[in-house]
Amino acid sequence: MTSMSSEHLDPSLPSVDHPASPDGPRLPRLLIFDVNETLSDMSPMAKRFEDVGAPAHLATTWFAGLLRDGFALTAVDSSDSFAHIAAESLRVGLHGLPLNRGAADAVSYIMDGFAGLPLHDDVPDGIAALGGLGTRLVTLSNGSASVAEALFDRAGIREHFERLLTVEDAGRWKPAPEAYAYALQQCGVDPEDAMLVAVHPWDIDGASRAGLATAWVNRTGGRYPEYFRAPDLMAVSLTDLADQLG
């Protein structure tokens, strides 16, 4: 297993000693975006499973499982890259299925799907609108920065982002506090001046506990879990979030 290094992290990083503004949500100096499912539309991955002879619904189970395993490694003070966990969990999940090609080829074919994912429909206009408010935009993904770079280049939104950050450089997966602290340190802001934007309640909860403001993007009309800290804002799209912050 490969370990992600965190030796460069400063022990005096911003923390919950500087909580989000008690006056409620306001336009932050920095918006930090999750990438997978928040900006990228991962629904085409189901077709990749079907193409290799696996059930389409396995795509959702696989993605949830790889996140679980990344979180589990972080919980025991270890780590590995998103790509390695994703590929290895595919090998496990596809084992014994009546595939129409070899297991190695099936894994490669599905993993290649990340390179062609589209954005959600609201993202291009939403990112442009949020950038137009004068706040800084960055990403913080549990995946690799190169995947985000390719995605944004294809969609023509790369110019709006100051930096594309990954937890692979932080040494800890989100929702560990060190992941958010890494992003804050890299951008030179305190938690009260930053807001995480994500579709995942676990990400919202982690960022809130690290002292950031949060915005939950709820495109599906789902219910937010009561056991997680509530978001400061809820939006049905990024354009809706821009309207609220503007």
Side-chain angles (χ1 to χ4, degrees), residues 25-44:
R26 54 183 170 78
L27 180 63
R29 290 175 55 200
L30 181 71
L31 285 174
I32 304 174
F33 292 84
D34 174 54
V35 177
N36 289 326
E37 295 188 306
T38 297
L39 301 180
S40 65
D41 179 0
M42 292 192 59
S43 60

Side-chain angles (χ1 to χ4, degrees), residues 198-213:
V199 298
H200 304 289
W202 56 260
D203 208 355
I204 296 296
D205 179 78
S208 178
R209 293 179 191 277
L212 287 73

Side-chain angles (χ1 to χ4, degrees), residues 127-206:
I127 290 297
L130 289 164
L133 297 177
T135 189
R136 300 162 61 191
L137 310 184
V138 302
T139 64
L140 178 65
S141 177
N142 280 340
S144 72
S146 62
V147 170
E149 185 93 42
L151 172 67
F152 295 172
D153 282 342
R154 288 196 311 274
I157 65 169
R158 176 63 181 87
E159 63 182 348
H160 296 292
F161 289 89
E162 177 182 314
R163 304 187 68 171
L164 305 181
L165 302 173
T166 171
V167 301
E168 292 179 4
D169 295 323
R172 305 275 284 179
W173 278 43
K174 296 183 297 176
E178 294 90 346
Y180 306 102
Y182 166 75
L184 296 173
Q185 182 190 53
Q186 290 295 304
C187 297
V189 300
D190 284 333
E192 71 267 24
D193 293 321
M195 173 179 281
L196 179 89
V197 181
V199 298
H200 304 289
W202 56 260
D203 208 355
I204 296 296
D205 179 78

Side-chain angles (χ1 to χ4, degrees), residues 44-59 62 87 89-91 93-113:
M45 295 298 284
K47 179 65 165 54
R48 290 261 163 176
F49 278 78
E50 284 187 321
D51 288 346
V52 303
H57 67 78
L58 193 59
W62 161 69
S89 61
L90 267 177
R91 294 183 188 98
L94 296 176
H95 180 72
L97 294 180
L99 304 177
N100 56 26
R101 65 196 74 189
D105 288 342
V107 169
S108 294
Y109 179 80
I110 293 173
M111 289 295 294
D112 287 346

